[in-house]
Structure formats: structure tokens, C-alpha cells
Amino acid sequence: MADFLAWCADIGVSSIFQVQPLHAAGRGELQTQNDAVPTVKQRLAAVRHLFDWLIIGQVVPANPAAAVRGPCHIVKTGKTPVLEPEEARALLDSIDVTTPAGQRDRADGLFFRADRRGAWTSLVLTVNSCSQGNCKYGLGGTSKPRSRRW
């Protein structure tokens, strides 16, 4: 925020009341030359949030950054590493299959895509109740039970 306000002062906008959508858009255009697109979008979101806060406090009448769209960011490939076959085998072999929970976890792990196994290994599974093959369980610490047929 300090960068945006300093930039506004440098171009002759001496008061926060004088900031126009053109200023927010211009700052975003300049930032795209030096910074990554997600960084520019995050900084624009911070400017929007500041002006939203000032509107709620009745300091400014409108948000000049509300109508400004950030640069387009398209991700074609993710950064999640894919497990090599040896790593996948080691992961599956590390699961204790002497318990029903271990057998379930190993079976679930076989069906997850290789690039999602990191998310799978971080899940926390809690079984809330089981009756006649229907179990209620929760994932990732959620309090909302989900049904699954075992």
C-alpha cells in the first residue's frame, strides 16, 4: 500500500480523494513490467480492500479501484511434483495393511492420480460411526460428516 500511495504522490495525486480508476489501472500496468502477474493482482486486491475499508468508514464516497480488472493469469502446468514409480511404491508400501483403516488408505491411494498423492497423504480421516456397511467420516478436520459405503 505504501508503494501505491508513494507512486500516487510522485505523479501528482496529493490526496486520497483525488485517486481515480485511471491511477489504479496505470499502477497495475507499470507493475506488470517488473512483477509477476499474481503479485500485481494481489496488490490491486489490496488497493481495492483499502478503498472498501475507507468507504465503510465514510472517508471516500466510492472505490476507484473497484472497476479495474487485473491482468489475466493462466496456469497451464502446475507446480505439484509427480511421484516417480519408485516413490509411489515406497509410499504405498509404507501403509500398514494389518488394520482395516490401513487397507482402506492403501486402496484409496491406488486410485488417486500421482500428482494428487501429496494432498492425499496430508488428509486426516476420522471415522465417526459405522453401521451395516455405511460409515460416517470426516476429512481434513472438517466437522461436517460425509457418507461412504465401505
Side-chain angles (χ1 to χ4, degrees):
M1 284 312 313
D3 291 342
F4 176 74
L5 296 174
W7 178 80
C8 286
D10 289 345
I11 63 167
V13 179
S14 59
S15 172
I16 203 160
F17 300 108
Q18 296 175 342
V19 176
Q20 298 295 317
L22 179 66
H23 299 121
R27 177 64 177 163
E29 286 293 322
L30 287 175
Q31 286 179 334
T32 56
Q33 296 172 3
N34 300 324
D35 298 326
V37 172
T39 302
V40 175
K41 290 176 78 77
Q42 187 174 22
R43 289 178 181 164
L44 181 59
V47 171
R48 281 191 198 116
H49 188 72
L50 169 72
F51 280 101
D52 284 341
W53 184 73
L54 292 173
I55 289 170
I56 291 171
Q58 298 180 353
V59 176
V60 294
N63 187 343
V68 178
R69 292 184 59 191
C72 184
H73 179 60
I74 299 172
V75 178
K76 293 186 180 181
T77 58
K79 294 182 179 180
T80 305
V82 176
L83 292 177
E84 296 295 326
E86 299 82 23
E87 294 172 326
R89 172 57 46 203
L91 175 65
L92 291 173
D93 289 342
S94 68
I95 299 172
D96 179 22
V97 292
T98 59
T99 64
Q103 291 174 354
R104 176 204 57 226
D105 292 345
R106 183 171 176 146
D108 282 348
L110 290 172
F111 294 106
F112 273 90
R113 293 191 337 247
D115 60 340
R116 296 299 299 153
R117 285 212 175 98
W120 170 70
T121 57
S122 65
L123 288 178
V124 176
L125 182 73
T126 53
V127 178
N128 297 333
S129 65
C130 285
S131 64
Q132 299 176 356
N134 279 330
C135 292
K136 300 281 187 182
Y137 68 96
L139 289 176
T142 62
S143 60
K144 182 178 179 182
R146 298 180 177 129
S147 296
R148 182 171 184 178
R149 184 123 177 110
W150 294 102

